[in-house]
């Protein structure tokens, strides 16, 4: 596990933070995970079993306005954005992506180009452009495995409750 710090975090968004780690994973598969998550450990097993070069971990569900929604077509992620209308989305991206080296190269090249124009975008803002150019961005549905993005105190309490249930087996 490598923990990296975006020294410019106060003036950027998570795409810039993601880019900080590019050089650490150039030659082997890796998982990119947002740091504000609690998830069932089986989520990582699902990610590790996927064969695609870029695989987003997704929960198929009806989303609200705030979730980072994904649009899927013919088995591939075509867009990931909070602005996707909830009824047009497949579900929510967890903030976890599995990368093979070739997929990471393509993804991070697009991130680098995008950062030259804006350092305030979400890490998934490049998905639509990549998909339009024919880059295969796959997804793996986690089913009903529990997970929580921890943004608010209520989220933290929910994560703690789920973790206690997990410990009890």
């Amino acid at each position: 596990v490598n923990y990296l710090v975006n020294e410019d975090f106060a003036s950027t968004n998570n795409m810039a933070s993601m880019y900080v780690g590019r050089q650490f994973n150039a030659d082997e598969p890796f998982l990119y995970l947002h740091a504000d998550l609690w998830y069932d450990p089986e989520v990582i097993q699902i990610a590790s079993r996927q064969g695609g070069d870029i695989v987003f971990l997704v929960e198929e569900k009806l989303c609200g306005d705030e979730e980072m929604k994904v649009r899927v077509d013919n088995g591939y992620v075509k867009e990931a954005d909070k602005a996707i209308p909830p009824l047009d989305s497949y579900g929510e991206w967890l903030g976890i992506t599995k990368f093979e080296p070739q997929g990471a190269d393509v993804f991070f090249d697009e991130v680098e180009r995008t950062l030259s124009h804006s350092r305030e975008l979400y890490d998934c803002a490049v998905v639509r452009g990549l998909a339009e150019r024919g880059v295969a961005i796959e997804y793996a549905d986690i089913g009903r495995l529990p997970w929580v993005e921890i943004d608010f105190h209520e989220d933290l309490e929910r994560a703690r409750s789920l973790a206690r249930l997990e410990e009890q087996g």
Side-chain angles (χ1 to χ4, degrees):
V1 175
N2 291 309
Y3 292 97
L4 306 169
V5 176
N6 172 5
E7 299 296 337
D8 297 323
F9 73 92
S11 63
T12 63
N13 205 328
N14 60 10
M15 183 185 292
S17 295
M18 176 190 217
Y19 192 73
V20 169
R22 178 181 184 158
Q23 73 276 11
F24 285 96
N25 297 299
D27 299 325
E28 57 188 281
F30 67 94
L31 292 176
Y32 166 74
L33 301 96
H34 289 177
D36 62 348
L37 301 174
W38 180 92
Y39 48 85
D40 185 297
E42 180 62 24
V43 168
I44 301 304
Q45 297 305 314
I46 290 171
S48 67
R49 290 191 296 262
Q50 302 306 307
D53 286 341
I54 305 170
V55 182
F56 275 50
L57 279 286
V58 174
E59 179 185 10
E60 180 183 10
K61 68 177 191 176
L62 181 60
C63 295
D65 291 329
E66 181 60 25
E67 286 96 346
M68 187 58 74
K69 295 171 284 297
V70 294
R71 189 184 316 262
V72 171
D73 186 32
N74 292 323
Y76 295 97
V77 176
K78 298 299 183 179
E79 185 177 13
D81 197 311
K82 287 185 177 186
I84 297 170
L87 293 177
D88 292 345
S89 73
Y90 174 84
E92 183 177 4
W93 176 48
L94 278 64
I96 301 175
T97 303
K98 187 215 99 177
F99 288 99
E100 292 291 332
Q102 182 177 354
D105 286 346
V106 170
F107 198 91
F108 279 109
D109 285 348
E110 188 67 15
V111 165
E112 184 173 30
R113 277 191 289 281
T114 302
L115 287 172
S116 70
H117 303 293
S118 175
R119 298 183 55 78
E120 298 175 354
L121 296 172
Y122 288 110
D123 45 10
C124 58
V126 300
V127 169
R128 185 176 182 180
L130 289 170
E132 287 173 352
R133 292 199 328 260
V135 174
I137 301 172
E138 298 180 31
Y139 69 93
D141 192 331
I142 66 159
R144 292 287 147 228
L145 290 172
W147 72 282
V148 180
E149 178 185 18
I150 304 169
D151 288 333
F152 305 103
H153 184 71
E154 299 81 28
D155 301 331
L156 178 59
E157 289 306 314
R158 182 164 181 256
R160 286 178 174 156
S161 176
L162 289 168
R164 283 191 291 275
L165 289 173
E166 184 77 24
E167 287 175 357
Q168 294 170 1

